[in-house]
Amino acid sequence: MCQLLGMNSLKPARLSFSLEGFLRRGGETDEHADGWGIALYEDRRCQLLIDELPSARSPLAEWIQLYSGRSRNVIAHIRKATQGSISATNCHPFLRHLWGQEWSFAHNGNLDVSKLPAPVCFTPCGQTDSEHAFCLLLDGLFSRFGRQAPGLAQLSQTLAELARLIAAAGSFNFVLSNGEWLFTHRSTELHYLQRAYPFGRAHLLDCPLGIDFSRHNEQDDRMIIVATRPLTDEHWQPLPVGELAVFAEGRRVAC
Amino acid sequence: MCQLLGMNSLKPARLSFSLEGFLRRGGETDEHADGWGIALYEDRRCQLLIDELPSARSPLAEWIQLYSGRSRNVIAHIRKATQGSISATNCHPFLRHLWGQEWSFAHNGNLDVSKLPAPVCFTPCGQTDSEHAFCLLLDGLFSRFGRQAPGLAQLSQTLAELARLIAAAGSFNFVLSNGEWLFTHRSTELHYLQRAYPFGRAHLLDCPLGIDFSRHNEQDDRMIIVATRPLTDEHWQPLPVGELAVFAEGRRVAC
């Protein structure tokens, strides 16, 4: 199986601390060593970076930690291959364009694609069940809304319906973003955390590294972190099973 | 204006030497300092990297020179902004998906978009004439061939027709790839070069750097380099004005 990470922040922010712990699970503190990827939204543009190397030993990961800019939304994924060969084509996140927006998606779980329809407008480049499901989500949005992007409420409702249909074919934990909003769905395992004022201290669970967020944040900073398994000793909450969750401007919103 | 670089190689290869000279034109030996980008095809998967910084001073450029893998196709672009703000969203190459293929595109020149139709299926994320034109090319391909990818001959013929139509709205030098083939179109300035056995020596025009390609290549290596202006003291040839050129497996092919 794989692990997921997502961020949605009110203001552009760097994910360095949580990312540090997450990337170590790619071949160092855990077994997810079949490649990794990250989608960093600088403004609404998605910088998608993929590496077949284990994230714990990836020069690209080092480069991101040193040089990447601040983002309002981030999606990252470390892979333990179950369907599809070990290649960059099969690494998450996947990217597609819809309504002049760049959509990125990463999945954890296994889907029986023989139980799913074939995507029509959005077609996969690789062999994974995950990219297949992503294409089905976008197909469903395009078929429902055509060329006009809907508002958040309509979008969330349709995504929830589509996610339910796809989740019937197996296990469907995902993180999805268009650079403005972060959507998640939990079948088996997915947690989230809000960091907001008053900021406190935190320690990574994967390595002896701590941080005092009150020294790095202002009073009006606010962000959500989503991860398959908690990354720190903060107050992580499990997301409800079988539901879509929606995050905007650094908080969870009703959908 | 901007400058373009393209590579099409029979075998996976690194473009380090030519890229070194090209990237210096982004703010050091020339004025193209409003961002840059590169699409590197590792197998058929496109790693698209964009940076708003001038390429001559970009840590990402350094990272690519040190760590990127070998590619069969590459497209790169250094930008001097004419239409659209200086932002990552407006940096080339642009990326879209069609027929399970990842298409990347970079443009040099100015198009009067008021003389062009609005793209229908493929819509721009940014404000440039270039992304508009790219979306029109893909719209045209999708409208002509539907969901089934054509062979090279049909594809080239249609691209040539589409390029001619769009070029009527201004200046349309471009490089385009789907990870297998490289297509170019020249309105004003575009050159190409084939490197093949017997390999010789070359010197960059932008800095005092030379290479003996016979020491770095095997007898059956073969590649094409396309650039707005020659990068080395090798035998560069201008491409014909107003024509689409097609490159496959490291050589120019009739279209």
Side-chain angles (χ1 to χ4, degrees):
Chain A
M1 301 293 275
C2 311
Q3 287 205 23
L4 304 174
L5 176 66
M7 179 188 90
N8 173 268
S9 175
L10 174 62
K11 298 197 286 179
R14 303 196 74 228
L15 189 57
S16 332
F17 181 71
S18 306
L19 192 61
E20 176 73 30
F22 182 73
L23 294 177
R24 289 192 186 215
R25 294 183 180 175
E28 190 181 302
T29 59
D30 212 333
E31 58 178 1
H32 313 279
D34 298 332
W36 70 285
I38 189 165
L40 297 153
Y41 286 90
E42 298 171 11
D43 195 11
R44 300 291 285 275
R45 204 238 154 220
C46 179
Q47 181 91 285
L48 176 67
L49 300 160
I50 295 285
D51 196 349
E52 290 168 56
L53 292 176
S55 55
R57 300 196 294 272
S58 161
L60 182 61
E62 258 180 66
W63 180 83
I64 287 171
Q65 292 288 34
L66 284 171
Y67 294 114
S68 72
R70 293 171 182 269
S71 303
R72 288 183 52 235
N73 286 277
V74 175
I75 281 181
H77 182 270
I78 46 177
R79 181 165 187 241
K80 179 163 167 56
T82 50
Q83 295 189 35
S85 58
I86 298 174
S87 75
T89 306
N90 290 330
C91 281
H92 311 214
F94 301 100
L95 177 76
R96 289 294 186 281
H97 296 77
L98 177 60
W99 304 317
Q101 300 169 3
E102 303 199 87
W103 288 79
S104 64
F105 170 90
H107 169 225
N108 153 297
N110 254 309
L111 295 165
D112 180 353
V113 291
S114 73
K115 294 184 178 164
L116 292 171
V120 179
C121 289
F122 292 85
T123 46
C125 295
Q127 294 86 42
T128 60
D129 52 338
S130 309
E131 193 185 10
H132 186 113
F134 178 38
C135 290
L136 285 180
L137 284 177
L138 295 184
D139 258 8
L141 292 181
F142 185 64
S143 140
R144 170 78 176 76
F145 299 108
R147 307 201 188 293
Q148 192 63 42
L152 181 56
Q154 278 188 298
L155 182 60
S156 304
Q157 193 185 336
T158 307
L159 278 172
E161 288 162 17
L162 293 166
R164 192 163 50 239
L165 290 173
I166 297 170
S171 172
F172 198 36
N173 306 290
F174 71 71
V175 285
L176 169 75
S177 181
N178 66 346
E180 184 168 3
W181 303 311
L182 179 73
F183 306 92
T184 69
H185 183 268
R186 176 184 171 194
S187 282
T188 53
E189 195 173 16
L190 202 57
H191 295 78
Y192 84 106
L193 166 77
Q194 187 186 51
R195 290 192 187 125
Y197 183 83
F199 292 95
R201 291 169 186 275
H203 299 87
L204 289 181
L205 302 180
D206 293 79
C207 54
L209 203 61
I211 194 170
D212 180 353
F213 283 115
S214 68
R215 300 182 58 178
H216 298 272
N217 285 277
E218 294 166 12
Q219 203 162 328
D220 58 349
D221 282 337
R222 185 174 67 215
M223 72 161 67
I224 291 287
I225 312 282
V226 178
T228 300
R229 290 181 196 157
L231 292 160
T232 62
D233 57 5
E234 295 162 282
H235 182 58
W236 292 79
Q237 300 177 64
L239 282 158
V241 170
E243 280 184 32
L244 189 86
V246 183
F247 304 94
E249 299 188 330
R251 62 180 150 207
R252 187 165 174 208
V253 297
C255 74
Chain B
M1 302 292 275
C2 310
Q3 288 206 21
L4 303 174
L5 177 68
M7 180 188 90
N8 173 269
S9 175
L10 175 62
K11 297 197 286 180
R14 302 198 73 229
L15 188 58
S16 331
F17 181 70
S18 306
L19 193 60
E20 177 73 31
F22 181 73
L23 294 178
R24 291 194 183 213
R25 294 182 181 176
E28 188 179 306
T29 61
D30 212 332
E31 59 178 0
H32 314 280
D34 298 331
W36 71 284
I38 191 165
L40 297 153
Y41 286 89
E42 297 170 13
D43 195 11
R44 300 291 283 277
R45 205 241 155 214
C46 180
Q47 181 90 287
L48 177 66
L49 301 160
I50 295 285
D51 196 349
E52 291 167 57
L53 292 176
S55 56
R57 301 196 294 274
S58 161
L60 182 61
E62 258 180 64
W63 180 84
I64 287 171
Q65 290 289 35
L66 284 170
Y67 295 112
S68 71
R70 293 171 183 268
S71 304
R72 287 183 51 235
N73 286 278
V74 175
I75 280 180
H77 182 270
I78 45 177
R79 180 163 188 242
K80 181 167 165 49
T82 51
Q83 294 188 35
S85 58
I86 299 173
S87 75
T89 307
N90 290 329
C91 282
H92 313 215
F94 300 100
L95 177 77
R96 289 295 186 280
H97 296 78
L98 177 61
W99 304 317
Q101 300 168 4
E102 303 199 85
W103 288 79
S104 63
F105 169 90
H107 168 225
N108 153 296
N110 253 309
L111 295 165
D112 180 352
V113 291
S114 73
K115 295 184 177 164
L116 293 171
V120 180
C121 289
F122 292 85
T123 45
C125 296
Q127 295 86 41
T128 61
D129 52 336
S130 310
E131 193 185 10
H132 186 114
F134 178 38
C135 289
L136 284 180
L137 283 177
L138 295 184
D139 258 7
L141 292 179
F142 185 64
S143 141
R144 170 78 177 76
F145 299 108
R147 309 202 187 290
Q148 190 63 42
L152 181 56
Q154 277 188 297
L155 182 60
S156 304
Q157 194 186 335
T158 305
L159 278 173
E161 288 161 18
L162 293 166
R164 192 164 49 240
L165 289 173
I166 296 170
S171 172
F172 198 37
N173 305 290
F174 72 71
V175 286
L176 169 75
S177 181
N178 65 346
E180 181 166 7
W181 303 312
L182 178 73
F183 305 92
T184 69
H185 183 268
R186 176 185 172 195
S187 283
T188 54
E189 195 174 16
L190 202 57
H191 295 80
Y192 84 106
L193 165 79
Q194 187 186 52
R195 290 192 186 125
Y197 182 83
F199 292 93
R201 289 170 187 274
H203 299 88
L204 289 182
L205 302 181
D206 293 78
C207 54
L209 202 62
I211 194 169
D212 181 352
F213 283 114
S214 69
R215 298 182 60 179
H216 299 270
N217 286 277
E218 293 168 12
Q219 203 162 324
D220 57 350
D221 283 336
R222 184 175 69 216
M223 72 162 67
I224 291 286
I225 312 282
V226 178
T228 300
R229 291 181 196 156
L231 291 159
T232 63
D233 57 4
E234 295 163 282
H235 182 58
W236 291 79
Q237 301 176 63
L239 282 157
V241 170
E243 280 185 29
L244 189 88
V246 184
F247 304 94
E249 298 187 333
R251 63 181 149 205
R252 188 167 172 204
V253 297
C255 76

